[in-house]
Amino acid sequence: MSDKRDGARDFDFEFGRWAVQHRRLVDRLTGCTEWQSFSGQSETRAILGGLGNVEDNILHFPEGDYRAVALRSYDTGTQTWAIWWLSSQDPHHLDTPVKGAFKGGVGAFYADDQLRGQPVRVRFLWLNCAGGNPRWEQAFSGDGGQTWETNWTMDFSRA
């Protein structure tokens, strides 16, 4: 008997329509403490026969509306998820995927990327997924993951 956990249904909590409250830092990894808040909506549905999903978003930035999708796929061999971001602001570019899994009710996903030409570690956390009002947090680390700056949060409530 395998002790590997099948996490293919980890994101099922997000299926359906949501109202989203966003909060993000105005600037990242500069010591900025000014936050910007705005609303949005999202809708998530399964793809790849349930081994993936797509989250379609509209974000109401103060400077104007913005469309984006989160694309997720599950690897049954490694028991991990990959998450890509595609936005209307750069429609031919998929962001570097974060990869990870859920453990103890928390989803943790990581990637190595760049910010302003410098290496940065990226972390996505999914919290309170079983509680009916999930929360997503994005954080960056400029020191290889020793310290983290949370720079964007999304609080979801059923639409």
Side-chain angles (χ1 to χ4, degrees):
M1 183 172 196
S2 172
D3 47 337
K4 278 192 173 181
R5 184 185 75 78
D6 180 8
R9 300 189 60 92
D10 285 339
F11 278 101
D12 286 8
F13 69 88
E14 201 191 6
F15 292 167
R17 293 181 177 199
W18 299 88
V20 184
Q21 186 58 44
H22 296 264
R23 189 171 174 258
R24 74 174 181 167
L25 277 178
V26 171
D27 201 12
R28 298 168 184 174
L29 293 181
T30 63
C32 179
T33 59
E34 182 183 349
W35 288 86
Q36 185 179 55
S37 295
F38 52 94
S39 65
Q41 294 88 37
S42 75
E43 183 172 3
T44 302
R45 67 180 181 84
I47 59 172
L48 301 172
L51 292 178
N53 59 69
V54 63
E55 174 191 302
D56 190 15
N57 293 278
I58 184 164
L59 299 88
H60 303 297
F61 285 119
E63 60 271 15
D65 288 352
Y66 169 94
R67 300 296 306 234
V69 296
L71 176 64
R72 303 181 188 101
S73 65
Y74 186 71
D75 183 327
T76 58
T78 63
Q79 305 285 295
T80 59
W81 285 91
I83 307 170
W84 294 264
W85 184 253
L86 175 65
S87 80
S88 60
Q89 290 181 336
D90 194 359
H92 291 176
H93 174 76
L94 281 173
D95 282 354
T96 300
V98 294
K99 295 180 180 180
F102 282 79
K103 185 176 181 178
V106 174
F109 308 88
Y110 298 90
D112 292 311
D113 206 347
Q114 291 204 350
L115 177 67
R116 295 182 297 271
Q118 297 298 312
V120 64
R121 188 94 170 121
V122 178
R123 179 184 71 196
F124 288 5
L125 293 179
W126 275 97
L127 309 164
N128 196 35
C129 300
N133 293 98
R135 178 184 182 92
W136 172 85
E137 295 183 355
Q138 175 181 272
F140 289 173
S141 173
D143 59 14
Q146 293 179 46
T147 61
W148 293 94
E149 175 188 82
T150 299
N151 58 52
W152 195 324
T153 65
M154 296 168 64
D155 291 301
F156 291 75
S157 58
R158 288 279 175 201

Coordinates of all heavy atoms in Angstrom, one line a residue, residues 42 49 72 78 83 86 142:
S42 N -14.1 36.1 -9.4 CA -13.4 34.9 -10.1 C -14.4 33.8 -10.2 O -15.4 33.7 -9.5 CB -12.2 34.5 -9.3 OG -12.5 33.8 -8.1
G49 N -10.0 16.6 -17.2 CA -10.7 15.5 -16.6 C -10.6 15.5 -15.1 O -10.6 14.5 -14.4
R72 N -4.0 25.7 -13.4 CA -3.4 24.7 -12.5 C -3.5 23.3 -13.1 O -4.5 23.0 -13.6 CB -4.1 24.8 -11.1 CG -4.1 26.1 -10.5 CD -4.9 26.0 -9.1 NE -5.0 27.3 -8.6 CZ -6.2 28.0 -8.6 NH1 -7.3 27.5 -9.2 NH2 -6.3 29.2 -8.1
T78 N 4.2 12.9 -9.1 CA 4.9 13.6 -8.0 C 4.0 14.1 -6.9 O 4.5 14.6 -5.9 CB 5.7 14.8 -8.6 OG1 4.7 15.7 -9.1 CG2 6.7 14.4 -9.6
I83 N 1.1 26.0 -10.8 CA 0.2 27.1 -11.0 C 0.9 28.1 -11.9 O 2.0 28.6 -11.5 CB -0.2 27.7 -9.7 CG1 -0.8 26.6 -8.7 CG2 -1.3 28.8 -9.9 CD1 -1.0 27.1 -7.3
L86 N -1.6 34.1 -16.2 CA -1.6 34.7 -17.5 C -2.5 35.9 -17.4 O -3.7 35.8 -16.9 CB -2.2 33.7 -18.5 CG -2.4 34.2 -19.9 CD1 -1.1 34.6 -20.6 CD2 -3.1 33.1 -20.7
G142 N 13.9 38.0 -1.2 CA 15.1 38.4 -1.9 C 16.3 37.8 -1.3 O 17.4 38.0 -1.8

